[in-house]
Amino acid sequence: MPHLLGLQGMPPDRLRSLLARARDLIPHAERARPPLDTRRGASVVNLFFEDSTRTRLSFTLAARRLGADVADLTAAGSSASKGETLLDTALTVRALGASGIVLRHAMSGAAIAAARALDALPGPPCAILNAGDGRHEHPTQGILDALTIAEAHARLPDFNLGGLRIAILGDVANSRVARSDIAALTALGASVVCVGPPGLCPPSLRSLGCDTSHDLDAVLPDVDAVQSLRIQMERSPALASVRDYAAGYQLDLARSARMKPGAVVLHPGPMNRGVEITGDVADGPRSRILRQVTLGVAVRMACLAECLAR
Ligand code: ASP
């Protein structure tokens, strides 16, 4: 049974097949069709050790639209507070009959560790779907961002993003979204440039196959999409001054006006309006931010359909 642990190193055929499945499921995400029943009898457990709005809800809705049952466990109120390890919790959830575990955890590598623990001990098939592990990866977000950009630039037939240049803006160093985005977008042929102040956008990111820049105003006129990232106060409390950050890197109306016609703005949420992005850009004509949310349901349906045993 496949797990979904990350996009770095994912075979391109698997990525394209998840995207194609998600594209075909868009009408179900938009609720234009009655729910499918293809995973009736499967049980999905959301195991969230960090907060979430979009990811948790969209995995829940996606599982239900496939006919699966869903149960939720959050860190507060679980036996994690009594010292149970993540790996024991994952084994326990499988023993309770889960066929899929959607896992979010503050530790980078948590999803890989949980998958190894399940694979090492005998038990019924149970897939781990990584819903964000520390600063490492957030694969369903990477897939939904690629789908959103492909849709905006009429690349849905084959997901070939060749010729497109995408900027990932802001707190890249702390962002698991950025790592999954870079992997997905470059695998599909786009060129990616990460932009931010040196502390949040170090040159070492280039090892992931992207460019880096500290000059947003130089980059903006050349890009076809900007993914604006949240400043992760919980992971980078050292941001010296929000005002200095905004002067150099806030995506505001004046900067948005200098983007190419047809270029789009994304944000994985939750937004700090007035910090990394202004409200008029978030709500403006270039914004695909709420479309990302809708497409996220289609992507999570596709990933659950792939990972859950029939
Ligand atoms: N929601 C995304 C994540 O969990 C992005 C963020 O929190 O800034 O990684």
Side-chain angles (χ1 to χ4, degrees):
M1 146 154 334
H3 302 290
L4 181 70
L5 304 177
L7 301 183
Q8 295 168 42
M10 177 180 277
D13 285 355
R14 183 177 179 201
L15 175 61
R16 284 174 194 272
S17 124
L18 286 170
L19 282 162
R21 230 190 240 250
R23 174 197 59 210
D24 298 343
L25 288 165
I26 291 173
H28 293 276
E30 292 169 333
R31 300 197 58 191
R33 303 240 176 105
L36 298 170
D37 246 0
T38 57
R39 293 299 179 272
R40 179 161 299 284
S43 296
V44 175
V45 171
N46 286 326
L47 210 55
F48 276 62
F49 293 95
E50 267 193 359
D51 294 344
S52 169
T53 298
R54 280 150 289 271
T55 305
R56 181 141 70 110
L57 278 177
S58 62
F59 264 112
T60 298
L61 294 170
R64 291 205 179 124
R65 284 176 206 175
L66 294 170
D69 292 329
V70 192
D72 275 276
L73 185 71
T74 49
S78 79
S79 289
S81 65
K82 300 181 190 166
E84 183 167 73
T85 66
L86 165 64
L87 303 186
D88 278 329
T89 305
L91 289 164
T92 300
V93 169
R94 177 174 68 177
L96 286 165
S99 29
I101 297 176
V102 179
L103 176 65
R104 169 166 289 189
H105 201 280
M107 183 181 80
S108 302
I112 295 169
R116 281 199 190 129
L118 293 183
D119 292 345
L121 288 178
C126 180
I128 297 285
L129 293 101
N130 183 3
D133 60 331
R135 297 179 175 80
H136 176 228
E137 280 232 37
H138 192 348
T140 54
Q141 181 76 45
I143 300 171
L144 78 88
D145 292 335
L147 184 64
T148 306
I149 291 169
E151 182 185 66
H153 290 285
R155 308 291 178 97
L156 283 188
D158 60 2
F159 305 105
N160 182 351
L161 303 184
L164 297 182
R165 185 147 173 88
I166 319 291
I168 300 180
L169 168 63
D171 189 356
V172 187
N174 290 299
S175 175
R176 54 198 177 204
V177 172
R179 281 169 187 73
S180 292
D181 281 353
I182 294 165
L185 297 170
T186 56
L188 298 169
S191 76
V192 173
V193 55
C194 295
V195 189
L200 299 181
C201 185
S204 56
L205 288 167
R206 289 185 207 145
S207 64
L208 299 174
C210 58
D211 303 320
T212 56
S213 167
H214 307 310
D215 187 348
L216 176 60
D217 293 309
V219 164
L220 272 183
D222 292 330
V223 297
D224 301 285
V226 177
Q227 163 87 313
S228 167
L229 299 173
R230 181 173 68 90
I231 299 293
Q232 305 215 0
M233 298 299 183
E234 76 276 29
R235 287 188 240 278
S236 61
L239 185 69
S241 145
V242 168
R243 198 192 305 171
D244 287 351
Y245 177 82
Y249 299 101
Q250 183 184 69
L251 195 55
D252 61 12
L253 213 47
R255 289 190 166 120
S256 158
R258 293 201 294 275
M259 291 168 66
K260 289 187 206 171
V264 292
V265 169
L266 291 79
H267 192 301
M271 286 184 278
N272 294 309
R273 286 174 183 253
V275 180
E276 68 267 1
I277 190 166
T278 56
D280 42 19
V281 175
D283 303 330
R286 291 190 189 280
S287 173
R288 296 282 165 142
I289 295 169
L290 292 174
R291 188 64 179 160
Q292 286 171 276
V293 176
T294 303
L295 296 183
V297 178
V299 165
R300 285 159 186 140
M301 286 178 80
C303 294
L304 286 168
E306 188 212 50
C307 290
L308 296 181
R310 275 174 206 270

